[in-house]
Amino acid sequence: MAKRSKKKNPNMLTERQKADIRHNEALDKKKKSLNIRLNIALGIVLGVSIFAFLVLPALNMNFSSYLSEIVGGDMITEENDTQMGVTVDMTFIDILTALTQSPKDSVDYISKNNDSSISSGIVYNAFMVMMTDDDVRMLDKAYVVSLALAALTLAACVILLLGVSVTRGKNRNGIALAVCIWLFSAASALQWLFFVAVGIASAGRGQIQPHIASWLIFVGGAAVAVVYTVFCAKVKKLDADRRDVAVAARVEEEKTNAVS
């Protein structure tokens, strides 16, 4: 008598097994759709963040004062009193390269890079009349921290780019991608919060606030963290909802062999 082959016969699948296979295929389609949406979200956030980092202003500094406050009210009449304004916008690249201009201090940098038609010497002297040495040192320290945060933000962008390139090409997830995403989200939040804190500390002396690049990177970091968290939750739910067709098929085959 010929030995019975133990190779599975697809025609032996029960209707329940076929339904389970169709159920799992539907779950696979949903997971594929989730992967595509995650890849799109990561691509948009990375593209916008890198563009913002390289091109757009991240920090806005706006200082204004009346001439009478600088040289003294006795020397300037009310009719001749005018307002002097200085605005400085810095990109993250400006923050990283500011020291290449060899400024004497942060005030010297602001004076040389303001958008007004007033000469840097006049602007510098005006600042020094209104600021104490402690004010200048505090502004210098704020620059050092912003320099560190700019470097951290750049590193986080590069690490996320590498992490996405390595893992998402094969739609892989795991701890490595999660670390890249959370590092980027933390760096994006820290740089924005620091600029906000500096603005609050400088209230009354000028307006210092995060500009468009800082906002875009912050929103991107928050968005990608939320998207990835939701993605992981949905994938986990899909995996838990899968049906083990292989076990059912093996049981059915053993029953058939026993009857024969």
Side-chain angles (χ1 to χ4, degrees):
M1 183 176 179
K3 187 177 180 181
R4 179 179 296 277
S5 173
K6 292 188 177 182
K7 185 177 180 182
K8 296 179 182 179
N9 184 353
N11 295 326
M12 293 172 57
L13 292 174
T14 65
E15 289 301 319
R16 173 59 185 273
Q17 292 164 0
K18 292 178 182 179
D20 289 345
I21 291 174
R22 289 193 295 269
H23 174 79
N24 288 345
E25 288 175 345
L27 295 182
D28 289 337
K29 289 181 180 179
K30 291 180 180 179
K31 186 182 290 188
K32 182 178 180 181
S33 176
L34 289 174
N35 277 307
I36 291 174
R37 279 185 272 178
L38 176 63
N39 290 342
I40 292 174
L42 287 169
I44 292 174
V45 168
L46 272 170
V48 171
S49 297
I50 292 173
F51 175 78
F53 190 98
L54 296 175
V55 177
L56 300 177
L59 179 64
N60 171 260
M61 295 180 284
N62 194 310
F63 307 96
S64 62
S65 180
Y66 283 96
L67 198 56
S68 59
E69 296 174 344
I70 300 172
V71 300
D74 296 337
M75 300 178 63
I76 303 295
T77 63
E78 186 175 345
E79 293 78 11
N80 296 328
D81 200 6
T82 58
Q83 189 174 34
M84 182 180 74
V86 172
T87 299
V88 178
D89 289 331
M90 296 181 71
T91 66
F92 282 109
I93 297 300
D94 292 332
I95 294 172
L96 291 173
T97 60
L99 292 179
T100 61
Q101 298 184 21
S102 301
K104 292 184 290 186
D105 49 42
S106 53
V107 177
D108 186 40
Y109 177 87
I110 292 172
S111 303
K112 291 177 179 177
N113 291 275
N114 76 89
D115 68 349
S116 70
S117 58
I118 307 170
S119 69
S120 60
I122 294 175
V123 173
Y124 183 81
N125 291 332
F127 270 110
M128 297 312 292
V129 167
M130 297 183 293
M131 298 179 68
T132 65
D133 290 341
D134 287 340
D135 294 333
V136 176
R137 281 193 291 269
M138 184 179 69
L139 200 56
D140 289 343
K141 290 178 181 178
Y143 168 74
V144 172
V145 177
S146 66
L147 175 63
L149 289 176
L152 174 63
T153 305
L154 176 61
C157 283
V158 173
I159 291 172
L160 180 59
L161 178 61
L162 292 175
V164 169
S165 300
V166 171
T167 61
R168 296 310 298 165
K170 297 180 180 180
N171 287 333
R172 296 204 312 264
N173 301 305
I175 188 66
L177 180 60
V179 169
C180 294
I181 289 175
W182 289 111
L183 175 62
F184 174 75
S185 299
S188 68
L190 283 174
Q191 57 84 24
W192 180 82
L193 287 171
F194 176 72
F195 292 152
V196 171
V198 169
I200 294 174
S202 66
R205 302 185 182 185
Q207 294 181 351
I208 302 177
Q209 56 194 350
H211 211 336
I212 184 170
S214 178
W215 276 98
L216 284 174
I217 293 176
F218 168 61
V219 172
V224 78
V226 171
V227 168
Y228 187 68
T229 300
V230 172
F231 168 82
C232 289
K234 288 186 176 181
V235 167
K236 184 177 180 179
K237 183 177 180 180
L238 290 176
D239 289 339
D241 198 28
R242 291 187 69 84
R243 299 172 183 173
D244 194 349
V245 179
V247 173
R250 188 165 59 250
V251 171
E252 184 67 23
E253 182 180 1
E254 289 174 354
K255 288 180 179 179
T256 303
N257 290 337
V259 172
S260 301

